[in-house]
Amino acid sequence: MKLVFEDLIVFENEDYILINKPPRVASLDERTTDRGGQSILRLAKAYHADAQLGHRLDKETSGILAIAKNPEAYRHLAMQFEHREVTKRYHAITNGVHNFEGISVYLPISPIKDGTAVRIDREHGKVAETIFNTLQAYRTTTLVECMPVTGRMHQIRVHLMCLKAPIVNDPTYGGKPVFLSDVKRNFNLKEGTEELPLIHRVALHAHSLTFALLNGEEQTFEAPYPKDFNVLVKQLEKFA
């Protein structure tokens, strides 16, 4: 499906564009081009020639993404990321029922498998820290707020695995799919039909981003849940 960049924008001024990135769209151009050949960077540059991504999200992850419209804005945001002055809040649906209250996971990370995944590596890994809070516990799953202090690849996913709370539908880190039969009592599947998962990707959404604009004003930008994540949460709430 062809994306219209303007439809993704949640905020824009002379320096920044904040978008709600859809799932399954790469932030940067991939080595193997998508069937549609779309990436957020390519779409952003078509909209504004000097656009640069301030950070990136995994291809499967949806949510808020900051794009700088000029070099000064890019440097300003990059320095805030470097000094860990940007607050990122993600929402994840995890397998299992968990009660996290400001739980901090401080475990170093190294890439494995030709850079497509990561592992905890206490000896040679790079420092990584994430703080977790339970937002809502359901029958077999939990909606968790994840606040990465550092910005390592797959950091939230591997840290949740360490808490025995892998993200739903994240097989790389032990996450299992969730079916309606898991959450709805007395669920009857029609004979001869195969039950499909309630979400078909890693259940992770970048919910908000807080940083200072060039005038020094700190602002928080939020991205509403995309359809698939919203449907999952609604079903979990309905049968909680």
Side-chain angles (χ1 to χ4, degrees):
M1 202 175 84
K2 206 79 178 144
L3 284 177
V4 178
F5 185 76
E6 287 88 333
D7 294 346
L8 310 179
I9 296 172
V10 295
F11 171 88
E12 183 177 5
N13 67 6
E14 64 276 8
D15 299 309
Y16 295 105
I17 307 165
L18 277 293
I19 65 160
N20 189 354
K21 182 183 99 58
R24 299 187 194 84
V25 181
S27 295
L28 305 173
D29 286 345
E30 297 181 293
R31 288 186 194 92
T32 55
T33 313
D34 280 28
R35 277 172 302 195
Q38 297 184 105
S39 75
I40 294 300
L41 181 62
R42 200 181 301 184
L43 290 167
K45 281 190 174 296
Y47 177 78
H48 185 86
D50 293 330
Q52 277 183 286
L53 300 194
H55 55 118
R56 63 182 80 166
L57 295 174
D58 288 351
K59 187 174 179 179
E60 289 202 17
T61 304
S62 55
I64 200 79
L65 187 62
I67 298 162
K69 292 170 79 173
N70 56 67
E72 190 191 351
Y74 177 78
R75 276 194 303 274
H76 182 68
L77 183 55
M79 291 307 288
Q80 290 179 75
F81 272 111
E82 196 177 314
H83 296 135
R84 298 178 186 165
E85 293 164 350
V86 178
T87 302
K88 298 171 282 182
R89 294 177 194 270
Y90 290 73
H91 287 184
I93 303 286
T94 67
N95 293 122
V97 181
H98 308 280
N99 183 22
F100 300 136
E101 284 186 40
I103 295 285
S104 170
V105 176
Y106 190 83
L107 289 169
I109 290 171
S110 281
I112 51 167
K113 288 185 186 168
D114 63 31
T116 59
V118 300
R119 66 186 177 95
I120 301 302
D121 182 350
R122 286 178 171 84
E123 213 173 322
H124 306 292
K126 289 184 174 174
V127 168
E129 183 182 8
T130 320
I131 297 161
F132 298 102
N133 290 292
T134 291
L135 295 175
Q136 186 68 50
Y138 305 110
R139 279 184 66 201
T140 60
T141 55
T142 308
L143 175 61
V144 178
E145 177 190 66
C146 319
M147 296 172 63
V149 178
T150 50
R152 310 290 176 212
M153 173 181 159
H154 294 188
Q155 174 179 318
I156 292 170
R157 294 162 66 180
V158 75
H159 278 175
L160 279 168
M161 180 185 77
C162 295
L163 291 173
K164 297 186 168 51
I167 299 178
V168 162
N169 222 37
D170 187 4
T172 306
Y173 301 101
K176 304 282 191 288
V178 169
F179 298 93
L180 194 55
S181 56
D182 297 328
V183 296
K184 186 181 178 183
R185 290 181 175 90
N186 308 319
F187 174 79
N188 289 314
L189 186 64
K190 285 196 186 83
E191 211 174 310
T193 59
E194 185 191 351
E195 192 182 4
L196 296 172
L198 287 172
I199 193 166
H200 295 268
R201 64 167 172 110
V202 176
L204 182 62
H205 175 74
H207 183 254
S208 73
L209 195 66
T210 304
F211 64 94
L213 301 174
L214 254 72
N215 63 5
E217 182 196 342
E218 191 174 85
Q219 205 160 330
T220 296
F221 305 95
E222 287 190 0
Y225 292 161
K227 189 178 176 184
D228 63 347
F229 199 95
N230 199 42
V231 164
L232 174 61
V233 169
K234 289 276 185 283
Q235 291 288 356
L236 294 174
E237 284 175 351
K238 187 176 174 182
F239 300 110

